[in-house]
Amino acid sequence: MGDSRPVLVSGVKPTGDLHIGNYFGAMRQFVELTKEGKYKPFIFVADYHALNTMQDAEEMRKRTREVVMAYIAVGLDPKDVVLFKQSDVPAHTELGWIFDTITTMPYLMRAHAFKDAEAKNKEINVGTFNYPMLMAADILLYDAAIVPVGADQKQHIEIARDTAEKFNRVFKTDVFTLPEPHIMPEVAVVPGTDGQKMSKSYGNVIPLFASREELAKAVMSIVTDSSGERPENVYRIHRLFRSEVNLDALYEEHKGNYKGLKEMLIDDLDRYLAPMRTKYEELKGDSSIVDDLLESGKREARAVSEAKMEQVRKAIGVA
Ligand code: ADP
Ligand code: TRP
């Protein structure tokens, strides 16, 4: 109460093992931006978004807890952050419906994520089509000023802005605040082991909580192109851990020694990730921490979002 800081909102879907692309592209920003204390952060697990592609109850339960543990293991301080599950806060789906009614099909058909999904499978589900409306609700319910995400989510934030404007215009109100995306240019797209964007759906990831052996396996699988001066795909991942000057000198010194450079990358990765891995393993051993966190996050997120829904219901005339 009485907290006048600008709000930060973001979420991650519990759909697979988190990878260093998720960390550098999104989660590290959550930690850095919240550490400064400038924002009031609401960070959640986007389980209802995940339901579009993951329809297995056991897996949903397991992956959801993994994301919560990951948030803490990467350094979010649960004292400073409202951490919750999207499905624990009914206002998200309620507001998502209201947004469906003011949004046109042709507008949503222009979304990249929908076009990509449709190109792969014509039998696309309605939830995938509506995805940006639920995401707009996630963001607008809390009056988010900024939304830290990787570059692939930029259009979704633009849709949330459009939706806020449209709602305010249609219902002649100023209920919703326009959010800004927060995208770090240098890590907007973290490359995978094949040089394309790192993504669990491409099978090219370096997992965030992997053992040293698993890290080594992933690094050794990085595709190297022997025609260039240096192994670009190794270099671009290595760049996440060292300055350009330092790395250029290293790559010059070990020119042509791709195996040696990969081994150095394994060392750097392992050194950087080890403390997070240790914390993650600790949390796995005590399930009550996750339960307690989700319980208090649910209470706070419900209170804030319900207050916003009262304004929304008045604005649309159902209250
Ligand atoms: P994936 O592409 O592996 O399915 P998600 O879509 O669940 O990952 O992404 C979760 C968050 O991580 C989003 O904010 C997204 O922008 C970010 N992210 C995912 N992959 C990358 C990447 N390769 N580079 C930068 N950010 C990424
Ligand atoms: N769509 C995001 C992703 O695929 C996850 C997400 C859902 C999200 N709702 C959000 C991110 C609200 C930021 C804000 O990664």
Side-chain angles (χ1 to χ4, degrees):
M1 287 301 128
D3 189 341
S4 59
R5 292 175 298 168
V7 171
L8 176 155
V9 170
S10 198
V12 170
K13 282 180 295 178
T15 42
D17 289 334
L18 290 162
H19 51 75
I20 64 167
N22 299 133
Y23 175 70
F24 286 101
M27 297 172 91
R28 191 175 61 165
Q29 271 66 259
F30 303 175
V31 178
E32 284 176 4
L33 292 165
T34 57
K35 229 176 13 206
E36 296 165 8
K38 266 198 334 216
Y39 297 101
K40 164 91 184 152
F42 291 84
I43 305 229
F44 63 96
V45 185
D47 50 357
Y48 274 160
H49 274 121
L51 193 59
N52 276 316
T53 52
M54 198 176 70
Q55 295 165 349
D56 175 318
E58 267 320 298
E59 177 134 27
M60 182 68 90
R61 274 186 210 105
K62 172 172 163 277
R63 298 280 185 200
T64 298
R65 300 183 74 82
E66 284 173 0
V67 174
V68 179
M69 294 188 293
Y71 281 149
I72 303 169
V74 302
L76 279 183
D77 183 346
K79 285 196 303 305
D80 300 334
V81 179
V82 182
L83 243 179
F84 63 101
K85 265 185 352 193
Q86 187 184 35
S87 62
D88 270 339
V89 186
H92 291 238
T93 45
E94 184 179 355
L95 184 59
W97 169 259
I98 295 169
F99 288 161
D100 283 348
T101 68
I102 60 164
T103 305
T104 70
M105 301 240 319
Y107 174 80
L108 282 184
M109 278 174 187
R110 289 200 290 271
H112 308 311
F114 166 70
K115 285 198 262 186
D116 293 350
E118 206 201 18
K120 284 190 208 130
N121 178 13
K122 289 274 167 220
E123 295 289 311
I124 190 168
N125 59 28
V126 176
T128 301
F129 181 64
N130 275 353
Y131 190 110
M133 295 293 98
L134 180 57
M135 183 154 162
D138 298 339
I139 296 169
L140 300 178
L141 269 174
Y142 302 92
D143 289 330
I146 67 160
V147 186
V149 282
D152 58 346
Q153 296 298 314
K154 187 160 182 262
Q155 193 186 34
H156 285 146
I157 319 289
E158 281 158 9
I159 295 175
R161 288 175 65 89
D162 287 352
T163 307
E165 271 182 327
K166 180 139 189 204
F167 183 97
N168 288 348
R169 187 169 70 242
V170 169
F171 295 106
K172 302 180 184 56
T173 174
D174 57 1
V175 168
F176 291 119
T177 306
L178 268 51
E180 292 287 345
H182 181 278
I183 299 170
M184 300 290 283
E186 64 277 22
V187 288
V189 184
V190 174
T193 52
D194 57 359
Q196 290 188 78
K197 180 200 148 189
M198 186 175 291
S199 170
K200 56 205 159 218
S201 37
Y202 302 155
N204 63 356
V205 307
I206 299 184
L208 190 54
F209 300 111
S211 63
R212 187 184 166 95
E213 292 69 45
E214 288 161 325
L215 290 174
K217 200 165 152 230
V219 170
M220 287 305 167
S221 78
I222 297 175
V223 180
T224 46
D225 174 359
S226 51
S227 64
E229 272 285 287
R230 63 183 185 204
E232 272 316 311
N233 291 340
V234 183
Y235 182 92
R236 284 163 66 212
I237 297 174
H238 217 156
R239 184 68 186 84
L240 298 165
F241 304 94
R242 285 175 189 256
S243 71
E244 201 171 323
V245 178
N246 178 299
L247 207 58
D248 286 351
L250 200 68
Y251 275 62
E252 185 55 39
E253 191 187 331
H254 297 273
K255 215 170 175 172
N257 178 8
Y258 289 6
K259 182 150 180 288
L261 288 167
K262 281 184 170 178
E263 275 161 4
M264 283 178 242
L265 173 57
I266 296 168
D267 283 340
D268 283 349
L269 266 164
D270 192 44
R271 199 173 316 114
Y272 191 96
L273 300 178
M276 298 187 207
R277 183 166 67 214
T278 307
K279 182 78 194 161
Y280 188 79
E281 292 303 322
E282 259 171 50
L283 289 164
K284 259 196 195 160
D286 185 353
S287 63
S288 66
I289 297 178
V290 172
D291 294 335
D292 293 351
L293 265 172
L294 288 177
E295 196 48 44
S296 65
K298 169 164 87 179
R299 249 182 286 123
E300 189 159 356
R302 278 192 182 180
V304 174
S305 60
E306 194 40 46
K308 180 56 77 179
M309 284 311 294
E310 280 175 20
Q311 296 174 11
V312 170
R313 292 189 201 104
K314 280 209 188 82
I316 65 176
V318 297

